[in-house]
Structures are given as C-alpha cells and as structure tokens.
C-alpha cells in the first residue's frame, strides 16, 4: 500500500550518518517501547538478548498507552543498555531492524495525519536533520511524495479539520498555516518583525474566537495580508522598545526550570555555562554589568553574523510551525500557542547571544550545535517548556506587549 505524503524537502536528502554523528540518539533521554514491540521482545529466544530484555525492558506504569507501553533502562552514562562497545544497537545487529521499537525505527522522522493525508518532517534534535533543515538559505519548501503507508502507524499528531464541534477554528487550519509560513518567509522584514506581526494577528484572532466570530477568519487573514504590505508598518516595529532587562529575566527563569526538572546533559550544561559567561549573568553581577555584557555580545558578535544568516532561525520557526500543526498545537487558546512559539525563539536567541559573547563570534556549526542540544534536552522535555510557560502566565507576562519586548533586539 502506498500513500501520498506532504514532506519537507530536506527529508528526501536525509540519511542517518551513524557512528560519524557527533551525538547519539540512543543516549540522553528516555526511550519508550510500544506494546507490539514489547510483546515481540517477550517471545525472543536469544542467548544474549533474552536476559537483557528481562533486565533492561520494563512496563511503563505511569499513564501507559500503546505507544508508551514500556521503557528501556538506561545505563550509568544515560545511554541505552543495548548499545555495544562500538555504540551500535545490539537489537538491530542480532535480530534486524524489524525488532526496533516505533520510537527507534522512526526517529528523527515526525509523521502527522491531517484529515486523510500524512505529513513528514524531522526533529532538529538530530544533528543531521538540523543541518539539512536549517542551513538552507533558500528556506524550507514542501513536496508531495509517494511512500509506503506503513508510516501511518507511527504518527505523532492527528488533526481533523472538519470536526467543527470539537474545534470550530480547525476548519481554517490550512488558511492559517499557509498565512503563517508566508509571513515567516517574507524577507522584506527582519525576522523579529515578522514574528511580532504574527503575534498581532493571533491576538486579534484570539479575540474573534472568544466572540465566536469564526466565519470572519478568512476576511481577517485578508486584512492582515494588506496590512503587512503597507510600507508604514515598519514605523510601528521601530517604535517597539528594546528592554534588555526582560531578556535577562528569561535567563533566570531558564535556570530555575533547569534545576527543577534536573536537566543535566553534559553538552547542555557546557553550553549554558558559556551563555552565563557571555552575558555576565552570574548572581554576583550588577544589573548594569549584565546589560553592558548583553549589549556587547549582541552588537559586536551576534548581530554581525546573524544579519547574514537569519534564515537559520527562520527555518527553525517554519519547521516548528509545520511539525507542531501550529496554530492548533495543543493549547485551547490560539494565542497561547503563539506564546509557546515565541518562548522557543527567545530561548534559542538568548543562548546564541550569550554564546556569541563568550566565544566572540558565531559560526554555522556553533549555531547548529546550540539549536540541536537545546532541542534534545528542552523541546523533548514538555515539563520544562510548560514550566516556563506557566511561570510567564502566572506573572502576567504572556501579553502581546511582553512578547514584543521578548522578541525585539
């Protein structure tokens, strides 16, 4: 059976580089086992693997489902217990790829179902995906391809756009998605201004939703397209203040959440220490000293490089929008999904500014490494992101005014 899949173009170039990869997808996080694979492991009769399955595979007793039915026990180095001395998978070597769990066999591929169609993208927690997706100066594009329908069984998200009773705005999902990606990829404006403009739109859309003005969504999109092409809009962006103190408050919230949720990845800790150094953001630094360090890092090292490579963060945002079915990404309120998008952008940007200050410059390699390790330890930790979101929400920091200040440099 074959199916038509909407795929990000870079996925057609992807191939796992195996032991040549600078990171391992078999370490640093939890690995879930689906029910079907778990039952296969129980039936295996193998002199080496059978006792390993009994020791290192256990049922998931906390909110299990058919995709998170069991889990692998990691070793003392937080790596999969089935890796051999060459860091290769013993299960695949001894039993074949068909014995890999859904998670292991599909990562870093991401499959969603929208109505009757499948969509494919990749997660940038994989270094090779990060390079392919983010380093294309021409931007991310999408193709219709023909592929085996087996991918459907490992889908991540499902969206029914005609289910108006469940979510009336879903009827306009495609209009909103296309509009969002078009704005993000319009390089007539700086990326920060494109993101602010999307916030203005989604704040207004949120008001329409609360007033049950669903049928007016197409007209709202059309009016904002006209507004975006108005030359006077640039003056509005220029009037938004730059407040470094707000940016520095974010690094404090990141630190709080990192310790609350025990994020101890060696690569991330090394990155975080450089960010703190580059921003002079230690507890003993005075506010004026932090502001001066931030200003130096941004103007002397971050901006000169990123002004020529802004497409990297543009591609990150487009990939995030496509992969997470934005703006129907999980929160009931449309604007909250926008806030989460901004949190991703702001945290990555802040890490890059700090890194630029510490290393007195940036490179494509250092940017990819930063985004990849951030994605692996943060984006795959829903509690971390929800913790930061809730902190902002509880303190009244999820308004459009605050989002603009968080975005603006």
């Amino acid at each position: 059976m074959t199916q038509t899949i909407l795929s990000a173009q870079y996925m057609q170039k992807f191939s796992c580089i195996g032991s040549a990869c600078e990171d391992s997808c078999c370490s640093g996080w939890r690995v879930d086992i689906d029910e079907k694979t778990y039952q296969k492991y129980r039936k295996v009769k193998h002199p080496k693997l059978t006792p390993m399955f009994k020791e290192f595979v256990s049922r998931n007793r906390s909110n299990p489902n058919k995709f998170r039915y069991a889990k692998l026990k990691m070793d003392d180095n937080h790596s999969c217990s089935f890796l051999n001395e060459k860091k290769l998978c013993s299960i695949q070597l001894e039993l074949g790829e068909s014995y890999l769990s859904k998670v292991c066999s599909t990562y870093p591929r991401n499959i969603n179902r929208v109505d009757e169609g499948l969509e494919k993208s990749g997660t940038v927690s994989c270094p090779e995906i990060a390079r392919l997706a983010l380093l294309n100066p021409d931007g991310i594009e999408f193709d219709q391809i023909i592929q085996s329908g087996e991918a459907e069984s490992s889908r991540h998200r499902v969206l029914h756009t005609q289910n108006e009773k469940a979510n009336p705005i879903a009827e306009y999902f495609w209009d909103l998605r296309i509009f969002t990606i078009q704005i993000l990829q319009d390089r007539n404006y700086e990326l920060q201004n494109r993101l602010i403009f999307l916030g203005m739109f989604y704040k207004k859309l949120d008001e329409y939703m609360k007033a049950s003005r669903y049928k007016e969504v197409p007209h709202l999109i059309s009016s904002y397209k006209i507004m975006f092409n108005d030359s006077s809009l640039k003056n509005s962006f220029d009037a938004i203040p730059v407040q470094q103190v707000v940016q520095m408050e974010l690094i404090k919230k990141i630190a709080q959440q990192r310790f609350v949720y025990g994020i101890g990845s060696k690569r991330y800790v090394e990155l975080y220490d450089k960010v703190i150094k580059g921003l002079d953001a230690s507890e003993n630094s005075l506010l004026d000293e932090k502001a001066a360090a931030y200003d130096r890092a941004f103007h002397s090292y971050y901006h000169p490089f990123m002004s020529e490579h802004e497409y990297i963060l543009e591609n990150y945002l487009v990939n995030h929008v496509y992969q997470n079915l934005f703006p129907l990404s999980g929160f009931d309120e449309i604007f909250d999904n926008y806030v989460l998008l901004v949190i991703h952008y702001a945290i990555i940007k802040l890490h890059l500014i700090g890194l630029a200050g510490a290393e007195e410059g940036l490179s494509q390699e250092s940017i990819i490494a930063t985004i990849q390790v951030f994605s692996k330890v943060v984006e795959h930790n829903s509690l971390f992101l929800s913790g930061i979101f809730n902190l902002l929400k509880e303190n009244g920091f999820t308004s459009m005014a605050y989002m603009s200040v968080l975005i603006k440099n």
Side-chain angles (χ1 to χ4, degrees), residues 1-5 111 118 145-153:
M1 177 183 175
T2 59
Q3 293 191 44
T4 300
I5 297 180
I111 305 293
L118 296 180
I145 62 171
I146 304 298
Q147 186 170 303
S148 168
E150 293 178 359
E152 193 273 341
S153 63

Side-chain angles (χ1 to χ4, degrees), residues 36 38 88 120 136 169 213 217 357 385:
K36 184 177 179 181
Y38 176 79
L88 298 176
K120 183 163 69 170
N136 182 0
I169 194 62
R213 298 170 63 181
V217 171
L385 287 170

Side-chain angles (χ1 to χ4, degrees), residues 136-178:
N136 182 0
D138 296 325
I140 292 179
E141 296 184 15
F142 306 91
D143 289 330
Q144 295 276 3
I145 62 171
I146 304 298
Q147 186 170 303
S148 168
E150 293 178 359
E152 193 273 341
S153 63
S154 57
R155 64 187 181 274
H156 286 70
R157 299 168 183 261
V158 178
L159 175 65
H160 300 290
T161 65
Q162 301 305 313
N163 190 358
E164 294 186 23
K165 290 183 179 180
N167 190 350
I169 194 62
E171 178 183 356
Y172 303 105
F173 168 73
W174 279 101
D175 302 270
L176 293 168
R177 169 188 259 184
I178 292 170

Side-chain angles (χ1 to χ4, degrees), residues 33 37 51 54 63 91 106 109 171 272 288 308 329 352 363 375 378 389 406:
I33 304 295
T37 302
K54 290 180 179 179
N63 300 316
I91 297 175
T106 59
R109 301 163 187 84
E171 178 183 356
Y272 184 82
D288 288 346
E308 299 295 325
S329 309
L352 291 174
S363 65
S375 177
V378 175
F389 176 87
L406 203 57

Side-chain angles (χ1 to χ4, degrees), residues 389-406:
F389 176 87
N390 290 332
L391 273 175
L392 295 177
K393 191 90 168 176
E394 290 164 5
N395 289 281
F397 293 156
T398 55
S399 66
M400 187 59 228
Y402 186 87
M403 289 298 102
S404 297
V405 171
L406 203 57

Side-chain angles (χ1 to χ4, degrees), residues 212 287 290:
S212 299
L287 187 59
K290 295 177 181 178

